[in-house]
Structure formats: C-alpha cells, structure tokens
Amino acid sequence: MSPRLLGAVALALGLGGCSGPPPATPNPEPSATVTAPTATTDRPVLGAPRPFTAPRPTVYQTSQGLTVWLIEKHDLPIVSLQVVLPVGAADDPPGKGGLAHITAGMLDEGAGERDALTISSELNDLGVELSTSVSRDGSAIGLTVLRKHLDRAMAIFGDVIARPRFEPSEWKRVTDLWITSLERRSDDPGSVAAVTRSAVLYGPDTPYGHPIQGQPDTARSVSLGEAKSFYTASWRPDQAHLVVGGDIDKAQLDALIEKHLGGWKKPAQPLLPRSAAPKPLERRPKLVVVDRPDAPQAVIAVCGPGVAAGDPDAPLLDLVNTALGGSFTSRLNQNLREDHSWTYGARSSFTEARGVGAFVAQASVFTKVTGPALSEMLREIDGLAAGGLTEEELRKVRAQDLTDLIQTNERMSGLVNRLGDLAILGLAPDHDARASEQRQAATAPALAALAKAHLDTSEVSIVVVGPKSQVIPQLRTLGRGEPELWTDEGRPAE
C-alpha cells in the first residue's frame, strides 16, 4: 500500500501522527435520566377495515357467440385482455396427454400473414408480451398494452386466436423443445412431487391425474394433425370468454372486436361434450416414495380430497387454509421454518378446480429430518381440525383475505387474469366479491366445523421425493404402512 494511502487510512481511523494509543475520552455525563421500558402485553387495537367493493364487469355477447366481460377503468392508459375457454388438460384424449398444452403453445408460432419471427418482433416493438397458459380446466391467451397501441396489438391478437398457421417447421421446433423440457422435468423435485401427488390422488391416466404438460412418451405420440383438430374443435367463440379491462369503453371495444375478431366464426359441428368433473380415487396409496439418491433435501407432500371451486364451503376453506399454511405466519410455516429451521417454507392450499380439487400441504426439508418434519406437519393439520382457529387467527385471516382481494384488483392485468380463471371454472364474474363478503362475516365456530370436516389426516396420501435409503426408515416409524416406490413420472415402479 502506498505511503499516501496509508496516511489517508490512518487519518480516517484517527491515528495520523500518533505513535501511541489515542488519549482516553472521558465518558460524557448523561443529560437526562433514561427509564427502562416497561414490559407489557398490550397490543394496539385495530379498527374495522374499510369496506372494499370489487369492480363488476359489464357482461354481454357478440353476434358470433363470444361472451365479453368488460371492466372500464380510465385512470391509466392501459388495456389488458384475455381470451379463455373451458377446455384444458382434463380434455386431453387418452394417451395424448399434453395435447391441450401444445395446441395453445402453437397459436403464436405463425398466424395470419405473420410468421413466428414477425409476431415476436412486432409485439416487441409495441412493448407487449403475449402469454398463453393451460390448466386442467381451461386454456388462456392474453396481453397488456398501452391504449395507443391497442389497435395494432389486437390485429396480432386476432390473428393468433382465429388464424393460427400450425406450420410443420414450427411444429418440429416447438415439439422438440417441449419433449426436452419434459425429459428434464425429473431434475426438479418440486415438479416431480406435483406430478406424483396428482397421479396418486386421481390415478395416473385420469383427466386430473396426468401432467398438464404431458409426459415424454405421450408428447412423442401427438401429431400436428391432432393439434389442428383439437384447435378447430376447442378454440371457438361460442364457448370462449373475452375478458377486457382498462382504458376502453364498450363502443370502442365492439369496434375492435368486429375489426380483428369478426372473422372468428363458430364451426358447423356442435360443441364437444365436456368430460365428467373428476373426483379423487376412493382407494389410493397411503405412502409413496420417489427415489432421488443422495439428495440433501426431501420434498414431503400431504394430499387429499378438497372441494370443487363452486362448492359452498370453498370460500371459508380459504380462511382455514390461510391459518394452516396459506401465509408466512401460518401454523405450518411457523413450525417447520421458524421453530425448527427444517425448511425455507411450508405451504398448503385447497386447489381450485371445476371438479373436486385437492388439499395439499408441502415443504422441502433436510433429508435427515424427513420423518420428524412429516410428523409435525400432520400434527398441525390434526390440531387445526380438532380445535379450529383462535380468535387472533380469525382476525388475521380476515385481514389477509381483504388484502388479497385489494391486491388482485390493484393491477388491471391481475384482475383480468383472475376474471379469466372464474370464467374457466364456470363461476360468476362477481364470485370473488361475494366470497369475500362471506369470509368477512365468518365465525370461529363455522371455520372449526369446516376444518374438522375437511382436514382428516387418516384420509390423506403422503408423497416423499428423496433418497429412499434415508427416508424409508424414517417413514416406517409413522405407523402408516410400508411405502410404495413410484417413478418420477407418477407411476408405480416396476
């Protein structure tokens, strides 16, 4: 270090020019008496939350049978729009898992007069990202754009929805990427757990049991012709919803629909019948292990039957779940993460589905504590089922419900996406507003009864993804029988 730099450092430390220790500085006399704070258990009492009314869309149909949900909001020059239809992975034909997924993925790979590169380039010029998604119950495609670019964006959007090309060259590129992603899915233990628990709960080859994205073998069996046929039968205006929100009124929207989606006509053939709403298997494995040799962590998932999204109990079960594992301060997270430091986070949920959904509680924990962590998870579920929520938990989950509702409605893209989910599930556009009113009026006894009815650990299945040599000895101590070995694609191991 240079002498100049040494001098600067010494000066900064108060040592410049001193060969000995610095002179002692006398302690200053206190200017006032400091009184130690008095411990208290009193907490500030919050007043009643201010009421929040979620916006309700204008609902109407176009001449081609397209149902429109429109929310006008003119404070920002932004418009979000989404087309959704109630056809998803549950409608994949037998042996063709992933067909709905890859069909939606092909929509923007060339449409109308634009090839895939042109679509991507023009959307990029507009600052727009086009997103497609497929769930078990539906498919969706949408975008958010500045109002001044809406006409140009909808020209592309209309082509993608109504005039996709399905070109063989793009099909090969997209399906190659699709199969590669499926082959690499086993690298992610969380994805393996999700695939396996659905297969365990519903059966591997059922509408809700097979993976939404499919499996490598089913992906290889799907042809371009099958994707085209699936599009023609499914992507039709008479079973679709167009959800729009933002700086636009009905007259302006109608003109854009006629200009860019007016040529989207329903085909002559009748709508395909919907599959029966799936239900979990009555008889299913109780304890399943997917082997990941030498993994330092194990994923543990507790899964069981939930309820359909339209079930009258569903809104209040949201509150029960928030207390159990639906927030950072939930019982599962506080126990496994904060008290024991076994995981970065533990969560639970009642999944939304047109049929009977699932209850899932899941965490990634150190492999060496798989058994104790699972025991604690089951103990917390049993405890909530036996005793219900405390009054403090009831206040907290009500506040969380109101916060969630406000956050969903805060961003127009979030609100449009949520309305799209409701349309797919067959729920009314004001469902969330009415559900929140029901949750805000919930009582502790009502929630206790629901917890007792829907949180029964004797009926659950347990899936563990981890090294079998380490986790199986721990699982045997739980008294739930001998674990079954399954593959990472959600099938019993041979």
Side-chain angles (χ1 to χ4, degrees), residues 321 324-328 330 332-333 345-349 360-363 377:
N321 180 71
L324 176 64
S327 66
F328 184 82
S330 66
L332 289 177
N333 200 57
R347 303 285 289 180
S348 68
S349 64
V360 179
Q362 184 165 310
M377 184 177 285

Side-chain angles (χ1 to χ4, degrees), residues 361-411:
Q362 184 165 310
S364 296
V365 301
F366 294 119
T367 298
K368 63 184 179 181
V369 296
T370 300
L374 183 53
S375 294
E376 287 299 305
M377 184 177 285
L378 296 172
R379 187 176 67 82
E380 291 291 359
I381 297 171
D382 287 336
L384 188 57
L389 280 68
T390 66
E391 286 297 329
E392 181 180 354
E393 284 177 322
L394 178 58
R395 288 192 296 270
K396 182 180 70 175
V397 298
R398 278 180 179 167
Q400 184 67 50
D401 165 64
L402 196 59
T403 299
D404 290 345
L405 183 65
I406 293 171
Q407 287 181 340
T408 298
N409 287 269
E410 188 177 46
R411 293 172 58 248

Side-chain angles (χ1 to χ4, degrees), residues 48 198 203 394 477:
S198 294
L394 178 58
T477 66

Side-chain angles (χ1 to χ4, degrees), residues 85-101 103 134-139 205-212 222 226 229-231 233-235 239 271-278 354-355 424:
L85 64 151
V87 178
D91 300 284
D92 288 340
K96 301 293 180 180
L99 178 57
H101 166 77
T103 300
V134 173
S135 65
R136 299 204 178 279
D137 293 309
S139 304
D205 298 313
T206 61
Y208 279 8
H210 75 274
I212 292 172
V222 173
E226 288 168 332
S229 297
F230 190 85
Y231 166 80
S234 305
W235 285 81
Q239 70 172 350
L271 286 167
L272 294 176
R274 295 302 313 277
S275 59
R354 184 173 61 90
I424 285 172

